[in-house]
Amino acid sequence: MPRRVTNQVLAGAVALLGVSGLLGWILPDVAAGTFYVLHRAGGLALLIALLWKVPIVRGSLRRRLPRRMDGSLAVSLAAAVALLGTIALGFAWTLGFVSFDRPWSYSLLNLHVFIGVALVPFLIQHWADRSELVGMRAAVLARRNAIRVIGLGLAGLALVPVLDLVADRRRPSGSKPARSFSGNDFPMTIWNFDAVPAIDAATWAVGVGGAVATPARLALHDLARLPQRERTATLDCTSGWWSDQVWRGPGITDVLRASGLDPRAREAQVVSVTGHRWSFPLADLEEALLATHVGGEVLEPGHGYPVRLVVPGRRGFQWIKWVDRIEVS
């Protein structure tokens, strides 16, 4: 495969991995499935394309290293190390060699993501140094090269079921099981490195504002007066674990309707006392809870006490802990 085409295939595979990984995080389960498959296919295609890249790298190093280590070569080597690191972690995760709780308590899936994100500026600089965008379209679309590129993509897709057969037990998102139906005894992870806040339940209240007839501040005893609902829902954390639990609390739509929800409203933003927030179409919140209990136990502070949002079908970082207010628009 020509050097320029090989580099552009690698660039395309990295872009696919970045986009599919991001969309797999933020989209509901029903919409994210395709991106989970594309992410695995992109990783496999990238691994195959690296076999074409090895002779190019070897030749470049033979020509340049005897002279000196210039800035361009340093960037290239940094990009190579980051790329190999994130690929190795991705496959080690899939095959079960590492997990969210081994070999350390910190999830190596997070490290896989962080290295992948850090890789982006190195790759951009690497391509800029070599003017790889010049002539890209003509080179890739040449008949023989186009067939190779299409074949590579099909090979990646074809190998996904094989990878799934040997993969460590996990959900389509890649997350692995962690103590289901265990009350508060499941992993505690916090988005954005927030600390567990100290909340006085006697003075805490959740605010409801925006497109409602009667803005309100609802204390725990106010929420307890609303119809209590139970949902068995899967908490699928982007740190790489999942846990099925029985959650209990008022439905968020019941809370909003009690405040006179404007029929023209379309969206609700849920905000934590830490400032973490996420916006949802109201239609996606019909099954959502403002949970006060899990497995019959009062939520522990690390799991969101006094109230956390539970949104079946959404990833864990969207299940806002320590809810402070809901803004409707």
Side-chain angles (χ1 to χ4, degrees), residues 1-11 49 52-57 59-60 63-64 126-127 129-136 139-140 145 148:
M1 178 73 79
R3 178 183 62 83
R4 177 168 290 160
V5 176
T6 297
N7 289 344
Q8 295 310 320
V9 167
L10 288 170
W52 299 335
K53 182 69 172 177
V54 168
I56 298 171
V57 172
S60 178
R63 290 191 308 272
R64 302 174 69 189
H126 176 69
W127 298 328
D129 288 342
R130 284 154 179 74
S131 301
E132 289 294 345
L133 297 180
V134 178
M136 175 186 71
V140 172
N145 293 336
R148 288 170 172 165

Side-chain angles (χ1 to χ4, degrees), residues 35-306:
F35 296 102
Y36 296 148
V37 173
L38 288 176
H39 194 74
R40 294 199 287 279
L44 289 162
L46 179 62
L47 193 61
I48 297 170
L50 284 176
L51 299 177
W52 299 335
K53 182 69 172 177
V54 168
I56 298 171
V57 172
R58 192 164 50 233
S60 178
L61 290 176
R62 274 199 303 263
R63 290 191 308 272
R64 302 174 69 189
L65 276 182
R67 294 179 293 170
R68 62 188 179 88
M69 173 73 77
D70 60 20
S72 173
L73 183 57
V75 168
S76 300
L77 291 176
V81 170
L83 181 61
L84 292 174
T86 195
I87 290 173
L89 284 172
F91 280 97
W93 179 274
T94 299
L95 298 176
F97 298 124
V98 300
S99 189
F100 61 89
D101 55 357
R102 67 175 192 274
W104 307 291
S105 59
Y106 185 76
S107 175
L108 290 184
L109 187 62
N110 285 340
L111 190 58
H112 167 76
V113 173
F114 294 153
I115 295 175
V117 172
L119 174 64
V120 173
F122 288 108
L123 286 179
I124 292 173
Q125 185 61 51
H126 176 69
W127 298 328
D129 288 342
R130 284 154 179 74
S131 301
E132 289 294 345
L133 297 180
V134 178
M136 175 186 71
R137 182 178 178 187
V140 172
L141 294 182
R143 177 181 293 183
R144 181 176 297 179
N145 293 336
I147 292 173
R148 288 170 172 165
V149 172
I150 292 170
L152 177 64
L154 292 175
L157 287 171
L159 288 172
V160 167
V162 178
L163 184 65
D164 289 342
L165 285 176
V166 298
D168 192 38
R169 187 162 67 98
R170 53 174 173 66
R171 299 190 81 225
S173 64
S175 295
K176 301 179 181 183
R179 297 190 292 278
S180 291
F181 302 111
S182 56
N184 281 287
D185 186 22
F186 61 93
M188 187 198 78
T189 53
I190 301 175
W191 180 252
N192 203 30
F193 301 104
D194 289 331
V196 176
I199 296 175
D200 182 357
T203 58
W204 171 91
V206 58
V208 180
V212 293
T214 309
R217 295 284 295 173
L218 303 175
L220 273 175
H221 60 81
D222 297 314
L223 295 177
R225 292 193 189 104
L226 294 170
Q228 300 296 294
R229 307 185 185 278
E230 282 194 347
R231 299 273 188 273
T232 299
T234 301
L235 175 55
D236 187 342
C237 181
T238 51
S239 291
W241 57 267
W242 63 268
S243 181
D244 287 334
Q245 300 292 344
V246 179
W247 309 87
R248 187 172 86 237
I252 189 170
T253 52
D254 293 335
V255 172
L256 297 179
R257 287 166 185 149
S259 291
L261 179 63
D262 189 327
R264 296 168 296 181
R266 292 292 178 266
E267 185 175 87
Q269 182 179 78
V270 183
V271 185
S272 169
V273 298
T274 67
H276 177 46
R277 64 192 66 206
W278 199 262
S279 295
F280 305 87
L282 285 175
D284 290 0
L285 295 177
E286 288 296 329
E287 298 297 315
L289 302 179
L290 291 178
T292 56
H293 292 71
V294 58
E297 302 173 1
V298 175
L299 284 173
E300 291 182 351
H303 290 310
Y305 176 83

